Amino acid sequence: MPAQARRRRSAPQAPDRASRDREVQLRAFYRDMVLIRRFEERAARAYTEALIGGYCHLNLGEEAAVVGLMSALNPTDYLFTNYREHGYALMRGIDPNRVMAELYGRVDGVSKGWGGSMHMFDMTHRLLGGYGIVGGQLPLATGAALAIDYRGGSEVVMCTLGDGTTAIGAFHESLNIAALWNLPIVFVIINNGLGMGTTVAKASAEPELYKRGAAYRMESARVDGFDPVATHEAAAKALETARKGRPYLLEVVTERLRGHSVVDPARYRTAEEVERLKHEDPLQTFGAKLTADGVLDPDRIAAIEQEVAGIVTAAADFAASSPHPAVTTLFDYTYATPVANDSRRLPGQPLFEPLPLPAPSGAHA
Amino acid sequence: MPAQARRRRSAPQAPDRASRDREVQLRAFYRDMVLIRRFEERAARAYTEALIGGYCHLNLGEEAAVVGLMSALNPTDYLFTNYREHGYALMRGIDPNRVMAELYGRVDGVSKGWGGSMHMFDMTHRLLGGYGIVGGQLPLATGAALAIDYRGGSEVVMCTLGDGTTAIGAFHESLNIAALWNLPIVFVIINNGLGMGTTVAKASAEPELYKRGAAYRMESARVDGFDPVATHEAAAKALETARKGRPYLLEVVTERLRGHSVVDPARYRTAEEVERLKHEDPLQTFGAKLTADGVLDPDRIAAIEQEVAGIVTAAADFAASSPHPAVTTLFDYTYATPVANDSRRLPGQPLFEPLPLPAPSGAHA
Amino acid sequence: MTIMTYRQALHDTLRAEMLRDDNVFLMGEEIGIFEGSYKITAGLLKEFGEKRVRDTPIAEEGFAGAAIGAAMLGLRPVIEMMTINFSMLALDQIINHAAKIYGMFGGQASVPLVIRTPGGGGQQLGATHSQNIELFYAFVPGMKVVAPSNPADAKALLLAAIRDDDPVLFLENLALYNTKGEVPDDDTPAEIGKAAVTRPGRDLTLIGYSRMAHLAAEVATRLAESDGLDIEVVDLRSLRPLDRATIVESVKKTHAAVVLEDDWLTYGIGAEVAASISDGAFDYLDAPVRRVAMAEVPMPYAKPLETAALPSRDDAINAIRQTLAAVGHRPSALALGVPHS
Amino acid sequence: MTIMTYRQALHDTLRAEMLRDDNVFLMGEEIGIFEGSYKITAGLLKEFGEKRVRDTPIAEEGFAGAAIGAAMLGLRPVIEMMTINFSMLALDQIINHAAKIYGMFGGQASVPLVIRTPGGGGQQLGATHSQNIELFYAFVPGMKVVAPSNPADAKALLLAAIRDDDPVLFLENLALYNTKGEVPDDDTPAEIGKAAVTRPGRDLTLIGYSRMAHLAAEVATRLAESDGLDIEVVDLRSLRPLDRATIVESVKKTHAAVVLEDDWLTYGIGAEVAASISDGAFDYLDAPVRRVAMAEVPMPYAKPLETAALPSRDDAINAIRQTLAAVGHRPSALALGVPHS
Ligand SMILES: Cc1ncc(C[n+]2csc(CCOP(=O)(O)OP(=O)(O)O)c2C)c(N)n1
Ligand SMILES: Cc1ncc(C[n+]2csc(CCOP(=O)(O)OP(=O)(O)O)c2C)c(N)n1
Ligand SMILES: [Mg+2]
Ligand SMILES: [Mg+2]
């Protein structure tokens, strides 16, 4: 479980205890950022080793944003994200083994190997899906908020999306509906400056993305996504507002340290940009700050790295040893309600009774 | 041709001439409003007489808006509208006979009877279509502006849409693209207060629709659509801005005096609303004002009504006597470039060589 | 049994299901204050209030997606797409999301959603408003698609769709709303995925769905009188899954088949029906399966052109006679040469 | 003749057409700075500048519609939909507008637009990114749909598409981009609406398009060696219009047919092909037309499941042998029982 989750349970404290708790929280933030960083690095390696397939988008550079946002959610709140969601899955408290197993496409994966990197889902931890279609999660998240409102529940939905996603129609339709119906939802723009290779300036006529909330009379704000504390506080405020039935638009400004996906060399980046990014790393920045403030020291950092290394290695081992889904399960998830005449035919099977020659095995409609 | 079109050609004038010209223009506006009013009333009658079919949406209540907007366009500017476009077609200078003939679905119609009420098109008068899909015209109009920009032309595209249309994704995508690329286009929201029966308040989280321009850093304004002069001036300013490559969003506030379409009794309207509308009629308001200002008098009004009655009656007669399209033309407009193996089969015809019994006539693939 | 219109059957069933289950609610454009473009939801806003009968902005993708999200949390939304043409704007949410969520996440969340929408044509609505694109949904695994042709099926299939845990495209038809028929009073849902032999016969199998199943029944009755023909009518009722067994069984008996459809011929629903018959009844078929469908053009507004483009009763009759002639069946002299409409 | 990849043929043809005609320009997501998700447009932004090679925001409906509007004014946009899956978000603009404008307005404005987009599967991209929905476009009058299977056709059909005055869906395939072949140096466009017999034969007609036409050729060659079979291969090349004459002609000669397709079986492209053959070659066909297609499930991410769901070479080979066995053709003993993949 993410360290910050433990913090959530701490009761009101006396001042001295409080400052100690604060240090605990700051270290927890750092530790969680390290967990995401190392997990993603391990995933990148597994991809190059062909243990992971398809598209694989990493949270490298977004660790502070992810930690700050997720630490503000109640366990009962719901989360919808885009396809760049490994870190979010970890921070929602999903076992890293199951997250890595999903990347490997194994039966113990959070989506049983059916979703892969882009499509992690876990109802108990209320991660209602990473989604591969740009903008696809927004109407869904709006509908989840509608269901909460319909039942008079007190949960809130958080829906993250990328900067590039603010240009798509679903963004407009969803924010308008959410604001019109006063739904408990926070839309979070993770502004990492790029679509795939397209900058915000080239994609959005209003580059200060949070200002788009105005078109829906929706309260909005922008926060520094390299600062997990500031992000946590901004998210807490947004969630509080949404819980009162006033949807909120939060823009979290961050960076994407690597290519769009594992296979993207990001050649479109200028030398200066590449150079700049070397020195703009939320993990370094936050770690240095905490060290300067005496909250962290080399030993503590080493200990954290060691703990995390153990988790990540264990996750990779677990994933590697988890079985591949059996071909016999291919037709298990087409329909939730079984239906007459459903096609359960493999490509090699004829529509009607097999002909004399040895016919392939498998189900038959 | 619309009377105001004549005005456009008048050269710079001495002050006295100028004020006379102004009166001429005001009377021209009034006359054009009367033309739209009587034309639409005639169309409604023809619909009840089953001479017009399908959906038929009228500009009743929007006459001042239509006249004010259209009088600000250059003949070379392009216009895209929604399906409520009869008045726009007339004001672009299209022969009323051909507009009515389209409603009747005859060969002399502006779209040769293929489009009907919702789909009027005339390249020479640069009406690039009424469109029946809500929001469908916005991306198209944006593309037309792109083509102008691509060729370095000086024309501007005007794209009208209804208040209800601001909720759809295409609105957002189009305005963002137009602003991002500095295209010469003016988006005009005809705010008649209703979708079909849904009010702006129930459809838009930002009911002051023109303010949505802010999400694209697009200049925008709202104008009284019952005042043709104010509308004309607001449109002129918007077009001038767009001609400089700065797209513009103009909201024209008006009323829909009847149902959504000819067949809609508008039962959803409250008694007060119905009562209010009796006294809110742009034709009455503007006519009364001009009379008070001595620009109009009962004789002039009678003369205008008589001229217009003649035009409208002639249009109906022309339409009624225009031939129906021949069934032999059914396959003429599937493709602009003829293509091998195109299906030119009537529903009764077999795919392959006809069988013994008498087969239906017509083309054969 | 009560005699009522197709519209009434839909309205009453929606109402009954809303009374039965608090999780059932309606969303769509103009379904509340306006009472629905075709008045299926008339009176329901007054009875159930805005929470259960929700007017949406004009945003097909947005409200369809919202319904999907609500369904993921266990509500049972029944949404109305004003006509199937407009559902194209929500296609991404329906096909890339509603139809994928159950499988893509390994069966963790289902999407109990009903999408009610009328197809049709023949109302002079022009090229963009006269399309029959049920194919787009029938093609997609994860979707279920039903298409009732009469009031009784409208009720039974709507009951089944609402109580099903998967997304169901419920195809209605503009031309059927005012048609009447007997409707059973009990609430027995139909079985999705099953076709029905609505008229037994020996001479030829006539296949249709929605409006065309209605026309098929009419044509069969007429030809029994005029030509003394004994035509078996199969109403597909479910387009996905498609009940090949029932269709093939019938053709194995009649040895001839004609498919009536309101959509375009090439790649239309009838293509799969014809291909399946030609495969499953290969040794029984005495003539090619004949398809009667819409002319392959953007639908013109002008009435004579629209009429020519739409499959008519006479087209169906000619196709049947030509097919029977091809198999060597003797139609009564009287019956020859019905003029082409 | 020059030997080059399918990707190179597309790239060079785009470049040549842009040099030939100033009205030709490119629009799409990430086609410029990023050089295209699959690098078809690599280098073109540098050469032609932002006016001719336009990166768009992520707004499929918006930029597709903008291309249509620009085409109405006489430009000749060639847009890229990153994959055919995302084209669903632009479906309203493509089907309700691009395909309707010429007819709906009585032939006053044409839409010379090319929509390039790859289909495919087999890359573990999951349920939403592995669909083959060319059917949605092939079904619609007013659209033209072409699907080259080799570099030479990629060039000739792209030339034809760009010079055509109607909207053309140009289907590419992820698995074909790196395949090589001879490409003629001259600029002769192919004829849209025509299939090609890419391999003459007498025993059976094997039909495919795009990647499956490529596979068909491979399978035919292999079975010639292993089983001494003489298989005729028909590459559809154009899905709309569909060249029924060429297909039926071939089957009248071979008396047997197998269709290979990458989309789902029920209602897929193969349904129309099979129905047309069963009709047009009714008296010549000695066995049912067999279709080999994708399993009807939301495509899973896990490799073994994806592999099982996709039609394989062995599936094609088994289908051919079973069909020939059914018509009484004797395959060499050696050939029996290729294990099912
Ligand atoms: C509808 C749709 N269009 C295009 C794509 C291809 N695509 C995948 S990610 C991406 C860029 C998204 O950028 P952003 O929203 O900023 O998210 P980020 O990747 O930066 O997290 C694009 C264009 C897609 N998946 N879906
Ligand atoms: C995409 C789409 N959805 C729904 C409709 C049905 N419809 C036709 S007009 C209309 C209301 C439009 O209202 P508004 O934009 O205000 O235009 P107005 O009719 O007032 O001119 C609706 C919902 C449609 N034609 N297209
Ligand atoms: Mg981004
Ligand atoms: Mg309105």
Side-chain angles (χ1 to χ4, degrees):
Chain A
M1 107 163 32
Q4 44 86 359
R6 285 194 295 275
R7 179 195 49 75
R8 266 202 234 92
R9 288 198 212 71
S10 57
Q13 312 288 354
D16 58 338
R17 286 277 314 274
S19 74
R20 231 181 309 119
D21 284 340
R22 176 149 184 76
E23 291 196 357
V24 171
Q25 167 176 21
L26 291 171
R27 279 192 292 270
F29 280 166
Y30 180 78
R31 177 266 184 192
D32 288 343
M33 287 168 62
V34 172
L35 173 61
I36 297 172
R37 172 66 54 94
R38 304 305 166 217
F39 185 94
E40 295 291 56
E41 288 170 344
R42 190 67 184 74
R45 196 180 111 200
Y47 193 96
T48 59
E49 294 164 357
L51 292 163
I52 298 174
Y55 293 142
C56 189
H57 313 83
L58 308 177
N59 286 124
L60 297 173
E62 301 176 356
E63 296 87 350
V66 175
V67 168
L69 290 169
M70 294 300 96
S71 59
L73 287 173
N74 290 347
T76 51
D77 291 334
Y78 293 92
L79 176 69
F80 288 75
T81 72
N82 71 1
Y83 44 82
R84 194 183 297 280
E85 89 285 40
H86 308 168
Y88 295 91
L90 296 173
M91 289 305 106
R92 286 251 73 182
I94 301 172
D95 183 343
N97 291 1
R98 297 182 56 228
V99 178
M100 191 66 83
E102 188 57 38
L103 295 178
Y104 280 52
R106 307 303 174 92
V107 295
D108 297 303
V110 283
S111 302
K112 302 199 183 121
W114 280 63
S117 167
M118 301 196 290
H119 308 116
M120 306 243 176
F121 187 104
D122 185 321
M123 192 54 100
T124 34
H125 294 89
R126 303 216 159 171
L127 167 59
L128 262 68
Y131 293 85
I133 299 289
V134 162
Q137 73 274 26
L138 277 78
L140 302 176
T142 305
L146 173 63
I148 291 168
D149 178 66
Y150 188 93
R151 293 182 168 140
S154 62
E155 310 92 337
V156 171
V157 174
M158 180 178 279
C159 177
T160 64
L161 57 133
D163 45 279
T165 302
T166 61
I168 207 154
F171 172 84
H172 177 68
E173 297 191 4
S174 301
L175 269 69
N176 185 53
I177 289 172
L180 194 64
W181 295 348
N182 304 308
L183 301 180
I185 183 167
V186 175
F187 295 98
V188 181
I189 302 168
I190 304 298
N191 182 352
N192 59 15
L194 291 170
M196 286 168 69
T198 304
T199 60
V200 171
K202 280 213 167 301
S204 180
E206 174 45 270
E208 293 180 86
L209 301 172
Y210 71 99
K211 292 189 174 171
R212 290 195 148 166
Y216 319 99
R217 294 196 177 174
M218 192 184 288
E219 203 175 326
S220 68
R222 175 183 261 188
V223 64
D224 173 9
F226 268 27
D227 180 345
V229 179
T231 302
H232 171 88
E233 281 157 8
K237 173 168 185 273
L239 289 162
E240 188 191 344
T241 309
R243 235 175 272 284
K244 298 192 201 111
R246 300 210 312 277
Y248 197 100
L249 178 63
L250 178 64
E251 178 184 2
V252 181
V253 180
T254 175
E255 292 277 1
R256 197 190 71 202
L257 296 182
R258 300 249 190 115
H260 169 66
S261 72
V262 174
V263 297
D264 170 23
R267 294 225 184 70
Y268 42 84
R269 275 187 157 149
T270 64
E272 305 76 62
E273 208 178 342
V274 174
E275 191 49 37
R276 177 175 60 78
L277 288 179
K278 290 214 189 93
H279 315 294
E280 286 191 20
D281 178 329
L283 202 58
Q284 287 170 21
T285 327
F286 191 58
K289 183 182 177 307
L290 293 192
T291 308
D293 298 353
V295 177
L296 273 182
D297 56 51
D299 293 353
R300 283 199 145 109
I301 291 178
I304 287 171
E305 289 286 357
Q306 191 178 8
E307 179 219 354
V308 165
I311 294 171
V312 168
T313 307
D317 296 344
F318 175 85
S321 59
S322 172
H324 292 278
V327 171
T328 52
T329 63
L330 182 62
F331 300 104
D332 289 1
Y333 300 124
T334 313
Y335 297 109
T337 303
V339 61
N341 293 305
D342 174 22
S343 162
R344 302 175 68 85
R345 218 173 285 105
L346 288 167
Q349 297 179 279
L351 252 179
F352 295 91
E353 68 287 340
L355 295 151
L357 276 195
S361 63
H364 207 298
Chain B
M1 112 165 31
Q4 44 85 359
R6 288 194 293 277
R7 179 195 49 76
R8 268 205 234 88
R9 292 198 209 69
S10 59
Q13 312 289 355
D16 59 338
R17 287 277 313 275
S19 73
R20 231 182 308 117
D21 283 340
R22 176 147 182 77
E23 293 194 359
V24 171
Q25 168 177 20
L26 291 171
R27 279 191 291 270
F29 280 166
Y30 181 78
R31 178 268 183 192
D32 288 343
M33 287 168 62
V34 173
L35 174 60
I36 297 172
R37 172 67 55 95
R38 305 304 167 218
F39 186 94
E40 295 291 56
E41 288 169 344
R42 189 70 182 75
R45 196 179 110 200
Y47 193 96
T48 59
E49 294 165 355
L51 292 162
I52 298 174
Y55 293 141
C56 188
H57 312 82
L58 308 176
N59 287 124
L60 296 173
E62 302 177 354
E63 296 87 350
V66 176
V67 168
L69 290 168
M70 293 301 96
S71 59
L73 287 174
N74 290 347
T76 51
D77 291 335
Y78 293 92
L79 176 69
F80 288 75
T81 72
N82 71 1
Y83 44 80
R84 194 182 297 281
E85 88 288 39
H86 307 167
Y88 295 91
L90 296 173
M91 289 306 106
R92 285 252 73 183
I94 301 172
D95 184 342
N97 291 359
R98 298 182 55 230
V99 178
M100 192 66 83
E102 188 58 37
L103 296 178
Y104 280 52
R106 309 302 174 93
V107 294
D108 296 304
V110 284
S111 302
K112 303 197 182 125
W114 280 64
S117 167
M118 300 196 290
H119 307 116
M120 307 242 175
F121 186 104
D122 186 320
M123 191 55 102
T124 35
H125 293 88
R126 303 215 160 172
L127 167 60
L128 261 68
Y131 293 84
I133 299 290
V134 161
Q137 73 274 27
L138 277 79
L140 302 176
T142 305
L146 173 62
I148 292 168
D149 178 66
Y150 188 94
R151 293 180 168 143
S154 62
E155 309 91 338
V156 172
V157 174
M158 180 178 280
C159 179
T160 65
L161 58 133
D163 46 278
T165 303
T166 61
I168 208 155
F171 172 85
H172 177 67
E173 297 191 3
S174 301
L175 268 69
N176 185 53
I177 288 172
L180 194 64
W181 295 348
N182 304 309
L183 301 180
I185 183 166
V186 176
F187 295 98
V188 180
I189 301 168
I190 305 297
N191 182 353
N192 59 13
L194 291 170
M196 287 168 69
T198 304
T199 61
V200 172
K202 280 214 168 299
S204 181
E206 173 45 271
E208 293 182 85
L209 300 172
Y210 71 99
K211 291 189 175 171
R212 292 195 147 164
Y216 320 98
R217 293 195 178 177
M218 191 185 289
E219 204 175 324
S220 68
R222 175 184 259 188
V223 65
D224 173 8
F226 268 28
D227 180 344
V229 179
T231 304
H232 171 89
E233 281 157 7
K237 173 168 186 273
L239 288 161
E240 188 191 344
T241 309
R243 236 175 272 284
K244 297 193 201 110
R246 298 210 314 276
Y248 197 100
L249 178 63
L250 179 65
E251 178 183 2
V252 182
V253 180
T254 176
E255 291 278 2
R256 198 191 70 201
L257 296 182
R258 300 250 191 115
H260 170 66
S261 73
V262 174
V263 298
D264 170 23
R267 294 225 182 70
Y268 43 84
R269 274 186 157 151
T270 63
E272 306 76 61
E273 207 179 343
V274 174
E275 191 48 38
R276 178 175 60 77
L277 286 179
K278 289 215 189 96
H279 314 295
E280 286 191 18
D281 177 329
L283 202 58
Q284 287 170 19
T285 327
F286 190 57
K289 182 180 179 307
L290 293 192
T291 308
D293 299 354
V295 177
L296 273 183
D297 55 51
D299 294 353
R300 281 202 148 107
I301 291 178
I304 288 172
E305 289 286 359
Q306 191 178 6
E307 180 219 351
V308 166
I311 294 172
V312 169
T313 308
D317 295 344
F318 175 85
S321 60
S322 172
H324 291 278
V327 171
T328 53
T329 64
L330 182 62
F331 300 103
D332 289 0
Y333 300 124
T334 314
Y335 295 109
T337 302
V339 62
N341 294 304
D342 175 21
S343 162
R344 302 175 69 84
R345 216 173 286 106
L346 288 167
Q349 296 179 281
L351 252 179
F352 295 92
E353 69 286 340
L355 295 150
L357 278 192
S361 62
H364 208 299
Chain C
M1 286 289 187
T2 317
I3 297 217
M4 65 176 77
T5 61
Y6 189 98
R7 172 182 288 106
Q8 191 70 42
L10 292 172
H11 171 278
D12 294 358
T13 306
L14 286 175
R15 182 171 176 278
E17 287 296 280
M18 289 176 77
L19 289 169
R20 184 187 59 81
D21 182 351
D22 286 346
N23 288 319
V24 175
F25 73 103
L26 314 182
M27 272 207 288
E29 292 162 8
E30 307 290 350
I31 64 168
I33 300 165
F34 197 84
E35 303 199 301
S37 262
Y38 302 101
K39 308 302 173 206
I40 309 303
T41 54
L44 297 180
L45 171 62
K46 228 183 242 84
E47 179 173 4
F48 294 96
E50 293 194 341
K51 178 184 159 193
R52 307 277 309 272
V53 181
R54 223 172 245 273
D55 275 322
T56 71
I58 306 169
E60 282 77 10
E61 187 181 11
F63 84 74
I68 298 164
M72 289 171 78
L73 262 61
L75 296 186
R76 308 189 80 83
V78 180
I79 63 174
E80 174 176 298
M81 285 281 159
M82 202 176 283
T83 82
I84 197 168
N85 302 280
F86 311 146
S87 73
M88 267 188 243
L89 285 92
L91 205 77
D92 168 62
Q93 281 298 316
I94 300 169
I95 293 185
N96 283 334
H97 296 87
K100 301 290 186 288
I101 281 168
Y102 187 69
M104 189 164 72
F105 298 133
Q108 296 183 81
S110 62
V111 180
L113 167 71
V114 178
I115 303 165
R116 290 182 39 246
T117 188
Q123 327 263 322
Q124 280 193 271
L125 302 183
T128 61
H129 285 50
S130 307
Q131 303 169 94
N132 293 298
I133 55 167
E134 49 273 20
L135 173 74
F136 292 1
Y137 304 98
F139 177 59
V140 179
M143 289 298 303
K144 291 171 180 175
V145 180
V146 297
S149 69
N150 59 70
D153 279 358
K155 175 180 182 176
L157 283 167
L158 185 53
L159 286 172
I162 292 174
R163 299 174 187 187
D164 193 283
D165 281 337
D166 296 303
V168 180
L169 192 288
F170 186 90
L171 183 69
E172 304 172 2
N173 189 289
L174 300 180
L176 290 179
Y177 284 139
N178 294 329
T179 58
K180 289 190 167 168
E182 285 200 329
V183 176
D185 301 322
D186 67 290
D187 283 2
T188 320
E191 186 178 1
I192 296 177
K194 293 278 194 167
V197 175
T198 54
R199 186 183 201 283
R202 285 174 286 89
D203 295 343
L204 176 143
T205 302
L206 187 59
I207 302 155
Y209 63 94
S210 191
R211 182 179 85 88
M212 284 314 215
H214 184 85
L215 181 69
E218 184 190 323
V219 165
T221 317
R222 196 185 137 103
L223 283 175
E225 293 154 11
S226 63
D227 301 29
L229 292 177
D230 184 20
I231 292 175
E232 178 148 308
V233 176
V234 175
D235 183 344
L236 295 178
R237 295 167 88 241
S238 174
L239 300 182
R240 180 164 204 95
L242 176 65
D243 184 357
R244 291 184 172 96
T246 298
I247 303 165
V248 167
E249 219 29 68
S250 171
V251 177
K252 281 182 175 176
K253 183 178 67 178
T254 63
H255 304 278
V258 171
V259 185
L260 308 182
E261 58 191 317
D262 249 340
D263 62 352
W264 293 302
L265 187 138
T266 303
Y267 301 111
I269 295 290
E272 180 59 61
V273 174
S276 296
I277 293 170
S278 305
D279 183 344
F282 186 76
D283 298 322
Y284 300 80
L285 207 51
D286 292 340
V289 178
R290 174 73 173 271
R291 290 178 272 163
V292 177
M294 191 158 66
E296 300 185 34
V297 296
M299 183 61 78
Y301 163 75
K303 195 66 193 168
L305 295 182
E306 183 182 55
T307 304
L310 289 171
S312 69
R313 199 185 51 192
D314 291 343
D315 293 328
I317 289 171
N318 283 331
I320 291 165
R321 289 184 175 151
Q322 290 167 11
T323 302
L324 286 173
V327 306
H329 184 285
R330 291 251 127 281
S332 64
L334 165 156
L336 294 180
V338 167
H340 184 274
S341 67
Chain D
M1 287 290 185
T2 318
I3 298 222
M4 65 177 78
T5 61
Y6 190 98
R7 171 183 286 107
Q8 189 71 43
L10 292 171
H11 171 278
D12 294 359
T13 307
L14 285 175
R15 182 170 178 277
E17 287 296 280
M18 289 176 78
L19 290 170
R20 181 187 63 80
D21 182 351
D22 286 346
N23 289 320
V24 175
F25 72 104
L26 314 183
M27 271 207 288
E29 292 162 9
E30 308 291 350
I31 65 168
I33 301 165
F34 196 86
E35 302 200 303
S37 262
Y38 302 101
K39 307 302 171 205
I40 308 302
T41 54
L44 296 180
L45 171 61
K46 228 184 240 84
E47 179 172 5
F48 293 97
E50 293 194 342
K51 180 184 159 194
R52 308 277 311 271
V53 180
R54 222 174 248 273
D55 276 321
T56 71
I58 306 171
E60 282 78 10
E61 187 180 13
F63 84 74
I68 297 164
M72 289 172 77
L73 262 63
L75 296 186
R76 309 190 79 83
V78 180
I79 64 175
E80 175 176 297
M81 286 282 158
M82 203 176 283
T83 83
I84 196 168
N85 302 281
F86 311 147
S87 73
M88 266 189 244
L89 286 91
L91 205 77
D92 168 63
Q93 281 298 317
I94 299 169
I95 292 184
N96 283 333
H97 296 87
K100 301 289 187 289
I101 281 167
Y102 187 70
M104 189 164 71
F105 299 132
Q108 296 182 78
S110 62
V111 180
L113 166 71
V114 179
I115 304 165
R116 289 183 41 246
T117 189
Q123 326 265 321
Q124 278 192 273
L125 302 183
T128 62
H129 285 51
S130 306
Q131 302 168 96
N132 292 297
I133 54 165
E134 48 274 20
L135 173 74
F136 291 1
Y137 303 98
F139 177 59
V140 179
M143 288 299 301
K144 292 172 179 173
V145 180
V146 296
S149 69
N150 58 70
D153 279 357
K155 174 179 182 175
L157 284 168
L158 185 53
L159 286 171
I162 292 174
R163 298 174 188 188
D164 193 283
D165 281 337
D166 297 303
V168 180
L169 192 287
F170 187 90
L171 183 69
E172 304 173 2
N173 189 290
L174 300 180
L176 289 178
Y177 283 139
N178 293 329
T179 58
K180 289 190 168 172
E182 284 200 329
V183 176
D185 301 322
D186 67 289
D187 283 2
T188 319
E191 187 178 0
I192 296 176
K194 294 278 193 165
V197 174
T198 53
R199 185 183 201 284
R202 286 175 285 91
D203 295 343
L204 174 144
T205 301
L206 186 59
I207 302 155
Y209 63 94
S210 191
R211 183 180 85 89
M212 283 314 217
H214 184 84
L215 181 69
E218 184 190 322
V219 164
T221 316
R222 194 186 140 102
L223 284 175
E225 292 154 8
S226 63
D227 301 30
L229 292 178
D230 185 20
I231 292 176
E232 177 148 309
V233 176
V234 175
D235 182 346
L236 295 178
R237 295 167 87 244
S238 174
L239 300 182
R240 183 165 201 96
L242 177 65
D243 183 357
R244 292 184 172 93
T246 298
I247 303 166
V248 167
E249 219 30 67
S250 170
V251 177
K252 281 182 174 176
K253 183 177 67 178
T254 63
H255 304 279
V258 170
V259 185
L260 308 182
E261 59 191 316
D262 250 340
D263 62 353
W264 294 301
L265 186 138
T266 303
Y267 302 111
I269 295 291
E272 180 58 61
V273 174
S276 296
I277 292 170
S278 304
D279 183 346
F282 185 78
D283 297 323
Y284 300 80
L285 207 51
D286 293 339
V289 178
R290 174 74 173 268
R291 291 177 272 163
V292 177
M294 191 156 66
E296 299 185 35
V297 297
M299 183 62 79
Y301 163 75
K303 195 65 193 169
L305 294 182
E306 182 182 57
T307 304
L310 289 171
S312 69
R313 199 185 52 191
D314 290 344
D315 293 328
I317 288 171
N318 284 331
I320 291 166
R321 289 182 176 150
Q322 290 168 12
T323 302
L324 286 172
V327 307
H329 185 285
R330 291 250 128 281
S332 62
L334 164 158
L336 294 179
V338 167
H340 185 271
S341 66

